[in-house]
Amino acid sequence: MNVRWGLWVGLLVCAPLAANTVRAGGWRVTELRLNTPTMEGQWYASDSPLARGLGIRAGYMALYTIEVLPGLQYTLQLRVPRAAERVRVYAYDRWPLSAGARRFALPSGPVTWPPRARRISYRWRIGISPRSTGTLLYLMVWFPRPWPSGPVTAPVLLVRSPPIVPTHRIGRGITYLDGPRDLLLSGESGAVSYTLLPAAPAVPVRSARVWTAPRDLVINGRFSAGLRGWVPRTGADGRGLEPTIGSQGLRLAPGTGVRSQLDADVARARTLVLWADVRLGRATSGDGGRTTGDPGLTIALCLRDEAGRRHCGRHSDRIEFFRQGKGNAATAVAAGRIRRLIPAGTWYRFQIDLAGGPSHPAHIDSIDLSAGTAGTAWVREVHLIRGGTSDAGD
């Protein structure tokens, strides 16, 4: 087994099971939506066990993430009350705790406060390099004291594209600043997972258009076109249950699933990032799979490795998500399997680069999403992003 793969699989499975001081799912990260002002956030002290390794001075921080497109320009806006003028913002080229993550401190001034102004807006211009292998921009908002709760004092974040053009109007309380203009976002080399806080719009706005992740091998991975590209599998209990599409994405009733044929050659891919946003419903039968070992949701890949061996059916490479709970059976590690305990009822993001995995995939035949028998599961989006070839220089 690849040594690096073995190490992170061990950490991935054992860490949430070995300690109750840090809940499964770790960080709660607020998900921003393009062109939608958001005033939500989970704040952590810099001495929190979760924050160790970030290298942030004493204070409090909140993490945010947004999907962006390589090659485009954006405006990041932060609107805060006057009492919060010591706030600072950092941008990251990947998950902040990943090995090799680069942090960019965004400039904070000079700032000119209009007379009697109660709030001010910082606007940074940020450009995403077209050479990026990742599509997630991470942002940290830092403040030296606990942030006061309530809508009056809450920071309001907005990411806009196309970027906002400076108007230089006097007295508006807007400070225009430069951020990185060619930020190279990196795909993850190890496993990353966290609980997603859904965006809470500060004002009602229309949703931004849906875009397709570059080099995504999965067709209709956001299910915006219904089940196009997916073949449903009905429940085994004979009641005719079928997967459905709703406002939360793909809904998998107990025992149902969907499959998509990919037929993709990935032998020379530098990276192969599997990314999924998933949610498990409460258990509706039995103990939620804790004694039977039945996962609440499984993402399975049928593939051929570099030696031509097939990993399909019972031997497919798979990610298994179990409902968090005392006595859960998700404690063993099997070849080609990754198992995660996640809290029911919350969105959870999982990412991993499969290119360096033990199976060394050369060809992906299909991807299968299936719910367990104990409850409903949702998949808001799933992607398999191929990050260029090892010899093409892209």
Side-chain angles (χ1 to χ4, degrees), residues 222-245:
R222 299 177 187 273
F223 307 100
S224 56
L227 285 173
R228 181 176 67 86
W230 297 88
V231 177
R233 174 170 52 81
T234 57
D237 56 6
R239 291 185 296 171
L241 295 176
E242 291 188 0
T244 58
I245 304 295

Side-chain angles (χ1 to χ4, degrees), residues 180-219:
R181 291 298 183 97
D182 193 36
L183 181 56
L184 185 66
L185 300 182
S186 298
E188 300 294 342
S189 58
V192 170
S193 54
Y194 46 81
T195 299
L196 278 172
L197 288 176
V203 294
V205 294
R206 290 187 302 172
S207 298
R209 65 180 179 88
V210 174
W211 56 270
T212 302
R215 299 190 180 98
D216 193 356
L217 302 178
V218 178
I219 298 174

Side-chain angles (χ1 to χ4, degrees), residues 17 280-296 321-332 339-344 372-375:
L17 301 173
L280 298 182
R282 305 289 178 183
T284 57
S285 63
D287 59 3
R290 287 192 290 274
T291 58
T292 62
D294 183 28
F321 300 94
F322 291 79
R323 291 172 182 83
Q324 181 181 344
K326 185 177 181 181
N328 199 299
T331 55
R339 297 179 170 180
R340 286 296 273 158
L341 297 180
I342 67 175
T373 58

Side-chain angles (χ1 to χ4, degrees), residues 10-335:
L11 291 172
L12 184 66
V13 175
C14 297
L17 301 173
N20 294 322
T21 54
V22 178
R23 63 185 178 278
W27 281 96
R28 292 172 63 85
V29 180
T30 301
E31 180 187 38
L32 302 176
R33 294 180 182 271
L34 190 66
N35 300 329
T36 303
T38 299
M39 53 186 306
E40 192 71 55
Q42 175 80 41
W43 289 85
Y44 295 91
S46 60
D47 59 356
S48 162
L50 291 172
R52 292 172 185 168
L54 286 175
I56 295 294
R57 53 184 167 164
Y60 296 80
M61 68 200 74
L63 280 177
Y64 301 82
T65 184
I66 185 170
E67 301 169 34
V68 294
L69 280 174
L72 293 189
Q73 297 285 317
Y74 296 84
T75 290
L76 167 62
Q77 175 178 287
L78 175 67
R79 186 165 175 78
V80 294
R82 186 173 192 129
E85 59 182 309
R86 293 179 62 190
V87 69
R88 296 292 181 268
V89 179
Y90 301 88
Y92 291 83
D93 68 339
R94 70 199 79 179
W95 175 242
L97 289 172
S98 292
R102 297 180 63 196
R103 183 176 72 202
F104 301 86
L106 302 184
S108 56
V111 176
T112 301
W113 285 88
R116 297 183 297 278
R118 294 185 178 181
R119 299 179 75 93
I120 190 172
S121 293
Y122 299 89
R123 287 179 180 172
W124 295 274
R125 181 75 170 264
I126 297 177
I128 308 301
S129 171
R131 298 177 291 109
S132 295
T133 57
T135 58
L136 288 176
L137 173 65
Y138 291 95
L139 301 166
M140 176 190 290
V141 177
W142 174 90
F143 195 61
R145 300 186 301 276
W147 198 282
S149 60
V152 176
T153 58
V156 179
L157 280 82
L158 169 66
V159 179
R160 281 280 305 271
S161 186
I164 301 172
V165 178
T167 60
H168 301 292
R169 287 181 290 181
I170 298 174
R172 296 286 180 169
I174 298 175
T175 297
Y176 290 92
L177 301 160
D178 270 333
R181 291 298 183 97
D182 193 36
L183 181 56
L184 185 66
L185 300 182
S186 298
E188 300 294 342
S189 58
V192 170
S193 54
Y194 46 81
T195 299
L196 278 172
L197 288 176
V203 294
V205 294
R206 290 187 302 172
S207 298
R209 65 180 179 88
V210 174
W211 56 270
T212 302
R215 299 190 180 98
D216 193 356
L217 302 178
V218 178
I219 298 174
N220 190 29
R222 299 177 187 273
F223 307 100
S224 56
L227 285 173
R228 181 176 67 86
W230 297 88
V231 177
R233 174 170 52 81
T234 57
D237 56 6
R239 291 185 296 171
L241 295 176
E242 291 188 0
T244 58
I245 304 295
S247 60
Q248 300 294 311
L250 173 68
R251 180 183 184 274
L252 296 173
T256 66
V258 294
R259 174 175 295 178
S260 181
Q261 293 297 129
L262 304 184
D263 191 23
D265 181 7
V266 296
R268 294 186 298 164
R270 284 201 309 266
T271 60
L272 187 63
V273 177
L274 174 66
W275 161 16
D277 290 355
V278 304
R279 180 162 68 94
L280 298 182
R282 305 289 178 183
T284 57
S285 63
D287 59 3
R290 287 192 290 274
T291 58
T292 62
D294 183 28
L297 174 70
T298 300
I299 302 175
L301 291 171
C302 174
L303 59 88
R304 292 197 300 271
D305 62 24
E306 293 176 335
R309 294 183 293 263
R310 286 176 58 83
H311 301 250
C312 297
R314 292 184 305 164
H315 304 291
S316 61
D317 280 19
R318 58 186 61 202
I319 315 295
E320 297 176 339
F321 300 94
F322 291 79
R323 291 172 182 83
Q324 181 181 344
K326 185 177 181 181
N328 199 299
T331 55
V333 180

